[in-house]
Amino acid sequence: MSAKPTPYEREHYGKLVGRKILGIRWEDFEGHPLPVLVLSGKDSEGRRAEAAVMCDPEGNGPGHLEHSL
């Protein structure tokens, strides 16, 4: 059995397609460093677009973004 994303997950992560990472802003999250990716464009409320990797959808703590760079 292969895991497949839900329609919600496809829509949620699809918002990142075409964005460019402009910088990284560091926040303190309950005593842990949280990297916030500053993205090109605006969010749905007209603010600067940002993304952060959290441990779960509720944002209970920072996570880890794996990459192959």
Side-chain angles (χ1 to χ4, degrees):
M1 181 165 106
S2 65
K4 294 185 180 180
T6 66
Y8 169 81
E9 290 168 327
R10 287 182 185 276
E11 179 182 347
H12 182 73
Y13 291 104
K15 294 174 183 177
L16 295 171
V17 174
R19 301 280 184 155
K20 181 177 180 181
I21 298 172
L22 303 176
I24 301 171
R25 182 172 52 78
W26 291 91
E27 287 186 8
D28 180 302
F29 188 94
E30 299 176 356
H32 300 281
L34 174 66
V36 178
L37 305 178
V38 179
L39 305 173
S40 60
K42 303 287 183 182
D43 69 9
S44 61
E45 297 179 6
R47 299 175 299 210
R48 177 178 57 201
E50 298 179 336
V53 179
M54 305 300 288
C55 68
D56 56 30
E58 288 79 30
N60 290 314
H64 175 76
L65 175 64
E66 186 64 33
H67 60 76
S68 62
L69 302 176

